[in-house]
Amino acid sequence: MDPNNDTTALVHALTKSRSTDGTTRDRAIYKLAEFLHDCRAVERLHDMLDDEVVTIQVDAADILVRRGGREGIFLVLDEIGRRRDDPDADYIANRLYELDASGDIAILDIIEPLQDQLSDNSAIGLQQIKRLRGRE
């Protein structure tokens, strides 16, 4: 891929991700997923975990967990822990539960051996997922 086109496409996706239209922002998530090698895309998806539209929060979490590796999982767990008193964050936790329970992404198997590397908020997020999975 031409690096100039790659940058142009990323900038376009970043711009769309800030649209006032929720559907446009949600579609941009899937474009940003193509650029997880770039910290700007990761940072924007992380920001979208706290979007005003819950569907966008969940979709951003899904992309970070599916395509962002351990670091993506850490970001999402941290957000769940940080927003532990926000009922909207429960939707994100439930999505992680679904991914783990279905076997799509073995979140607990990936993260449990790395518990000593978790932030306080990530540890709280992990506990919430474990509770949902009946592993606590």
Side-chain angles (χ1 to χ4, degrees):
M1 181 178 272
D2 178 4
N4 293 328
N5 288 339
D6 190 45
T7 299
T8 302
L10 172 58
V11 169
H12 183 70
L14 289 167
T15 300
K16 293 289 185 183
S17 77
R18 290 179 173 83
S19 170
T20 57
D21 177 65
T23 302
T24 301
R25 286 195 315 276
D26 196 52
R27 279 192 221 125
I29 290 168
Y30 300 96
K31 292 293 183 189
L32 290 171
E34 299 170 19
F35 301 99
L36 287 177
H37 60 278
D38 190 300
C39 65
R40 294 174 291 177
V42 174
E43 287 172 12
R44 182 63 190 131
L45 286 167
H46 183 245
D47 291 344
M48 294 175 88
L49 293 174
D50 199 17
D51 192 272
E52 64 189 42
V53 177
V54 173
T55 302
I56 292 171
Q57 295 175 25
V58 173
D59 289 349
D62 188 272
I63 291 298
L64 284 167
V65 168
R66 284 183 187 273
R67 311 239 344 240
R70 286 187 305 221
E71 293 77 18
I73 296 170
F74 283 168
L75 288 173
V76 175
L77 288 174
D78 192 71
E79 188 68 15
I80 292 168
R82 184 184 72 78
R83 294 175 46 205
R84 60 186 154 273
D85 296 324
D86 179 351
D88 284 351
D90 292 344
Y91 291 101
I92 298 171
N94 285 325
R95 183 63 188 138
L96 267 64
Y97 159 78
E98 290 169 359
L99 290 170
D100 190 73
S102 70
D104 283 352
I105 307 288
I107 295 167
L108 295 179
D109 291 344
I110 293 167
I111 297 301
E112 284 181 324
L114 306 171
Q115 287 186 47
D116 61 327
Q117 297 176 29
L118 296 176
S119 69
D120 291 343
N121 284 334
S122 292
I124 291 167
L126 177 62
Q127 291 306 111
Q128 188 170 350
I129 304 305
K130 287 169 79 172
R131 226 175 289 129
L132 287 169
R133 288 285 286 133
R135 287 177 136 182
E136 184 175 290

